Amino acid sequence: MDRRRIRVLLVEDEEIHRVLARAVLRAAGVEADEAENGAEAVRRVRERVGGGGAYDLILTDKQMPVMDGHEATRQIRAMGVTTPIVAVSSDSLPSDVQAFTAAGADDFTPKPLTKEKVGHILSKFGLA
């Protein structure tokens, strides 16, 4: 089966979480660009919209330096980007999920990211 390449932006400030997510995404057959904070994510998305081809999926943490996941999500949506954004956070109270949804996220999954969770996310958004 010939699968198209899925482009994912992983937004995570903690190195250990990026290492784990990178391995999980690779195991799921997905390559990811990485951003260490929300401001970097907004910049990368803007560059892609400007000619580098849009991402198919954005996975973002909540608490990061420079710009958090909520604000990054709001700014990405303000650019008119409709790419699915999934919050991946250890802060998973209903109020945390609602705050991400209000910012423009399409879904939420609690950390840690697993191959099964990635498979579910890809299926949900028609990427698998």
Side-chain angles (χ1 to χ4, degrees):
M1 180 168 83
D2 187 29
R3 286 178 27 165
R4 72 177 184 92
R5 193 178 108 182
I6 299 169
R7 289 176 255 175
V8 174
L9 177 60
L10 172 66
V11 188
E12 171 62 61
D13 64 319
E14 295 290 334
E15 177 68 22
I16 188 67
H17 293 294
R18 283 196 313 275
V19 168
L20 174 63
R22 190 180 310 132
V24 168
L25 290 167
R26 191 175 301 124
V30 175
E31 291 182 34
D33 287 343
E34 298 176 17
E36 294 184 20
N37 62 64
E40 186 179 343
V42 170
R43 180 185 57 78
R44 286 179 171 269
V45 169
R46 186 175 290 119
E47 288 171 355
R48 287 274 184 172
V49 169
Y55 287 107
D56 298 304
L57 177 67
I58 299 169
L59 302 172
T60 185
D61 188 21
K62 174 185 171 185
Q63 295 181 29
M64 296 177 286
V66 183
M67 181 186 295
D68 68 18
H70 296 151
E71 183 59 26
T73 299
R74 280 190 285 275
Q75 288 192 24
I76 290 167
R77 291 297 186 226
M79 286 187 265
V81 173
T82 59
T83 299
I85 299 175
V86 178
V88 183
S89 179
S90 45
D91 297 332
S92 59
L93 293 173
S95 60
D96 297 313
V97 175
Q98 183 178 3
F100 255 116
T101 302
D106 298 288
D107 202 0
F108 182 96
T109 192
K111 286 182 182 177
L113 198 58
T114 64
K115 187 176 178 186
E116 293 75 23
K117 288 177 183 177
V118 169
H120 174 76
I121 291 166
L122 295 176
S123 292
K124 181 174 183 170
F125 295 105
L127 300 171

